[in-house]
Amino acid sequence: MADVIELGRYGDAFRRDPHPVYARLRERGPVHRVRLPGPDAHHETWLVVGHEEARAALADPRLAKDGRKIGMRFLDEELIGQYLLIADPPEHTRLRGLVARAFTMRRVEQLRPRIQQITDELLDAMLPLGRADLVDSFSYPLPITVIGELLGVPELDRAEFRKLSTEAVAPTSADSEYDALVRLGEYLTELIEDKRSSGPSDDLLGDLIRTTAEDGDRLSAPELRGMAFILLIAGHETTVNLITTGIHALLTHPDQLAVLRADMNLIDAAVEETLRYEGPVENATFRFAAEPLEIGGTAVAKGDGVMIGLTAADRDGSRYPAPDRFDIRRDTRGHLAFGHGIHFCLGAPLARLEARTAIRTLLERAPGLALDGQPGDWLPGMLMRGLRRLPVRW
């Protein structure tokens, strides 16, 4: 059996900056047996840190997302319902097909003027203040407003929803995660029932309720709740972190900020480099070996958990020269920030559109933008990569 690496022994330094640890692991090989830090300290899994191996593993059908294949059942499936991230073909194919009918590229593109309008309104309120926490004032309200309007969710109690949502994806304890999922499940059940009873609407959730495939297939009530959960949570948490870390990376790399200010046509490249350099999802959600297999020359037994390191893979020097350098002019093609294969992020076009709009508009309207003290803590756990606070001034 492989040696087990205790990630918890690296302490808070690992949460603040996991990249040196991942780099040392890559030097020793692309796949390692690890024990997770924090609330999951009892949990052992395989961790894939090499780019080539991660890309192959993300598309390997022998690595299942549905824990029932090895006799496991996820807490969020019990409390919320079945959704794309914990489903395998043919169930995943069916669910994704039904969602793709409603969540189209055309629908995302139609949001462009509204995203710009929300961005401008947030900056109209923020900029006269001279300083702010970027997360509270800008990075959080933009995507939560966009996904709320897209789904047709009435004005959320944003402070409460933010707390529940963050606890669901970056839990501080097992109890708090359970409580957050229970309350989110109750909220979404009520929301869907309200939608059904209030008659047809042209928002995404209304479309999902009505969507029917050629064979008459529809989403069940638990599937609808699961789909609303993943769209609402993943539809804003990742984008909050992408906008925040993008601005943080630019402000801590003034040479790259100067390059972008000199040519705003590089905004797409800046967003893609942020995704590669400090993507909002640190590790893909768990997979399980449905049969024995090898990953990067390492034998993985049936039933073993596998965690695929997206940010670790995207700092692999065999794929990206000088990987720890933030360089908005580099070729970022092939990065894994949105995953790869059948589970490639359905919301990637929307996240990219929001990040490009937000970062470009903020830099154009705040030419003196600078850090205003130390950033807040990085989110706990190994799923999400993002800052809780980013104090800025202009």
Side-chain angles (χ1 to χ4, degrees):
M1 188 64 173
D3 292 340
V4 178
I5 297 163
E6 299 271 0
L7 294 178
R9 71 186 172 91
Y10 296 105
D12 289 342
F14 179 66
R15 179 77 323 254
R16 288 192 301 272
D17 185 8
H19 302 294
V21 174
Y22 292 147
R24 288 198 291 274
L25 291 179
R26 275 194 307 273
E27 288 171 5
R28 294 166 51 183
V31 183
H32 299 274
R33 189 75 178 166
V34 301
R35 186 170 288 118
L36 302 181
D40 297 313
H42 62 284
H43 194 100
E44 284 185 17
T45 185
W46 293 104
L47 176 64
V48 183
V49 293
H51 188 278
E52 183 181 340
E53 294 77 13
R55 189 177 179 85
L58 287 167
D60 194 327
R62 296 171 297 177
L63 292 175
K65 299 298 288 281
D66 187 343
R68 291 174 298 184
K69 289 187 175 176
I70 59 162
M72 251 182 110
R73 192 167 171 85
F74 292 114
L75 181 64
D76 45 1
E77 184 181 5
E78 290 180 20
L79 299 175
I80 302 289
Q82 178 78 318
Y83 59 91
L84 289 169
L85 281 181
I86 51 174
D88 297 314
E91 190 64 12
H92 175 272
T93 310
R94 171 185 161 266
L95 290 172
R96 187 151 180 144
L98 285 166
V99 178
R101 286 171 166 270
F103 194 26
T104 61
M105 275 296 297
R106 181 168 172 264
R107 189 171 216 139
V108 171
E109 190 55 35
Q110 287 173 339
L111 290 170
R112 185 182 293 271
R114 179 60 181 143
I115 291 170
Q116 185 66 61
Q117 182 184 5
I118 297 166
T119 299
D120 287 332
E121 288 172 354
L122 289 169
L123 292 178
D124 288 345
M126 185 181 92
L127 292 179
L129 304 175
R131 64 194 338 157
D133 170 17
L134 193 75
V135 179
D136 273 346
S137 298
F138 188 60
S139 305
Y140 174 71
L142 172 59
I144 195 63
T145 303
V146 172
I147 199 67
E149 291 184 0
L150 176 65
L151 281 170
V153 177
E155 187 71 21
L156 292 160
D157 177 345
R158 287 185 188 161
E160 179 65 10
F161 184 78
R162 180 181 178 187
K163 182 178 162 190
L164 293 177
S165 171
T166 304
E167 198 59 47
V169 297
T172 51
S173 73
D175 286 346
S176 62
E177 179 186 17
Y178 180 87
D179 290 343
L181 288 171
V182 167
R183 291 165 70 185
L184 282 168
E186 292 168 348
Y187 174 80
L188 293 170
T189 298
E190 189 176 322
L191 177 66
I192 290 165
E193 286 311 308
D194 286 348
K195 280 277 175 200
R196 285 190 192 279
S197 59
S198 60
S201 61
D202 60 1
D203 52 65
L204 180 55
L205 192 52
D207 277 2
L208 288 173
I209 289 169
R210 292 190 303 275
T211 291
T212 307
E214 283 87 351
D215 60 2
D217 186 23
R218 305 182 72 154
L219 292 169
S220 68
E223 289 168 347
L224 264 173
R225 190 169 58 241
M227 206 58 69
F229 170 76
I230 198 63
L231 289 169
L232 198 54
I233 303 293
H236 87 274
E237 283 283 354
T238 50
T239 311
V240 173
N241 296 334
L242 176 55
I243 295 168
T244 306
T245 53
I247 292 296
H248 180 253
L250 287 164
L251 294 181
T252 52
H253 296 82
D255 60 322
Q256 296 303 299
L257 178 58
V259 168
L260 180 57
R261 284 197 180 282
D263 182 6
M264 275 295 182
N265 289 322
L266 290 170
I267 186 61
D268 289 9
V271 169
E272 295 307 308
E273 175 64 345
T274 299
L275 286 161
R276 182 207 69 86
Y277 178 79
E278 200 77 274
V281 181
E282 186 172 336
N283 294 282
T285 51
F286 277 111
R287 284 162 167 78
F288 301 91
E291 61 184 80
L293 72 152
E294 275 197 4
I295 304 176
T298 298
V300 176
K302 180 179 179 178
D304 280 0
V306 177
M307 181 181 274
I308 301 171
L310 305 181
T311 58
D314 283 341
R315 296 271 191 120
D316 187 339
S318 67
R319 179 64 182 82
Y320 299 105
D324 294 324
R325 189 179 71 224
F326 181 69
D327 178 3
I328 68 172
R329 286 179 287 201
R330 82 160 69 236
D331 183 355
T332 58
R333 283 177 296 182
H335 75 67
L336 301 176
F338 289 120
H340 176 63
I342 64 169
H343 289 284
F344 184 83
C345 177
L346 193 67
L350 179 58
R352 283 179 160 127
L353 176 57
E354 289 181 75
R356 290 164 183 165
T357 304
I359 294 171
R360 186 197 70 243
T361 309
L362 175 61
L363 294 181
E364 286 174 346
R365 293 189 57 182
L369 190 69
L371 292 176
D372 189 28
Q374 288 298 312
D377 293 335
W378 291 87
L379 292 171
M382 291 184 63
L383 175 61
M384 306 301 290
R385 183 81 182 137
L387 288 161
R388 288 193 184 276
R389 294 175 59 254
L390 187 63
V392 289
R393 57 184 166 78
W394 45 89

